[in-house]
Amino acid sequence: MKKLSFLLAFLLGLAGGLGGESLLLLRAQCRQIENSLRADFVVLLVPAQDVSAASQKQVEGKIMALPDVESVRYVSKQEALDRLERKDPQLVDSVAWLGENPLPSSFEVRLSPQGFGRISDWISSASSILDWSDVRYKSAEVKAILQAQFYGYWIDMVFGFSAAFVVLMAFCVLWISPHHLERRLHTVAPAFLAAAGCVCGAALALTTASPLRLIASWWSWPSWISQTGLILILALAGWSLCAETS
């Protein structure tokens, strides 16, 4: 019976480590993809008329006062042309035939992570600050960021509920048989076996997923805190389920 209990504890940790580490890997990739997309994402507010130097700071301050704004920056016509020249010199040569710089000045706004789900409301609020001739942003990037946030929040919720269930299970086991409490506290072998199984399962998940980092520029490893939490939770689950029969 004791050998069976030890085997079950190890297999529990192995399965939990494999599945849990896989979810942690997905969570890390979601976070990295979101950060990469957010670093590239800006909302361009193009004024209908040129803004004087004295008014630039006032407009920036009003935009900064809006909710979900991380930063705002004024980009002059010349700076916009310089950027275009660095990205595509041939296109700038074509623009030069037009004589005067045709590129508009604009305000570049970066949003906080919470702002992407309310971007339509945010643009409506920004419309009251100034008369904008154009508001530009990549809607496809907004959708991708929201999807990455959704999957990240969902994985966090799964881990939160799983941890709560394991803690509740351990409490119920101790509450149902309090006279076995002292013996249970001294029977830690199932916890160590479940933790060892978790490490093996996590190593298997990392090994099978590691080739992807060679082709994915956005690859990221799970944090050591989340991995430690996974091991502790599975150790507690193994102790709760198998200590009675060990």
Side-chain angles (χ1 to χ4, degrees):
M1 193 67 176
K2 181 181 292 187
K3 291 182 179 180
L4 178 61
S5 175
F6 289 168
L7 178 62
L8 289 176
F10 180 81
L11 292 177
L12 173 66
L14 182 66
L18 179 60
E21 189 68 18
S22 299
L23 285 178
L24 289 179
L25 279 167
L26 289 176
R27 179 68 181 96
Q29 308 325 310
C30 288
R31 183 181 294 111
Q32 187 66 20
I33 291 173
E34 178 190 350
N35 291 338
S36 298
L37 290 173
R38 286 184 54 227
D40 180 65
F41 182 86
V42 293
V43 179
L44 290 180
L45 302 176
V46 182
Q49 299 178 350
D50 289 338
V51 179
S52 64
S55 302
Q56 290 174 17
K57 293 299 181 182
Q58 295 180 357
V59 176
E60 287 181 356
K62 291 180 180 179
I63 296 175
M64 198 67 197
L66 294 175
D68 302 319
V69 175
E70 279 192 348
S71 65
V72 57
R73 184 172 178 271
Y74 177 75
V75 179
S76 65
K77 291 183 176 182
Q78 185 58 45
E79 184 177 353
L81 185 62
D82 293 340
R83 286 184 181 180
L84 183 60
E85 184 176 10
R86 289 193 295 269
K87 292 181 179 179
D88 194 341
Q90 294 181 350
L91 183 59
V92 172
D93 292 339
S94 301
V95 171
W97 285 97
L98 300 176
E100 186 179 352
N101 183 358
L103 299 179
S105 59
S106 62
F107 290 88
E108 285 186 352
V109 183
R110 295 189 180 275
L111 301 178
S112 65
Q114 297 77 22
F116 291 93
R118 302 186 289 267
I119 191 167
S120 297
D121 295 334
W122 186 90
I123 291 175
S124 298
S125 300
S127 299
S128 62
I129 295 177
L130 200 67
D131 184 17
W132 310 108
S133 64
D134 196 9
V135 178
R136 305 173 190 171
Y137 66 92
K138 298 178 181 178
S139 58
E141 280 193 355
V142 174
K143 293 179 181 178
I145 290 171
L146 290 176
Q147 287 179 341
Q149 289 180 345
F150 169 78
Y151 290 121
Y153 293 150
W154 176 75
I155 293 173
D156 288 342
M157 182 183 68
V158 169
F159 271 101
F161 278 124
S162 300
F165 289 152
V166 171
V167 172
L168 180 61
M169 178 177 64
F171 174 80
C172 290
V173 168
L174 292 176
W175 180 74
I176 291 173
S177 56
H179 55 286
H180 295 313
L181 175 59
E182 184 177 354
R183 185 171 68 85
R184 281 180 172 275
L185 293 178
H186 287 85
T187 309
V188 295
F192 283 114
L193 286 170
C198 176
V199 172
C200 293
L204 179 60
L206 292 174
T207 301
T208 55
S210 59
L212 295 176
R213 63 191 177 94
L214 301 176
I215 59 175
S217 59
W218 36 259
W219 178 266
S220 178
W221 295 104
S223 67
W224 67 269
I225 296 178
S226 60
Q227 291 177 317
T228 303
L230 177 64
I231 294 173
L232 293 177
I233 288 298
L234 286 174
L236 180 60
W239 174 82
S240 302
L241 291 176
C242 305
E244 180 69 25
T245 57
S246 60

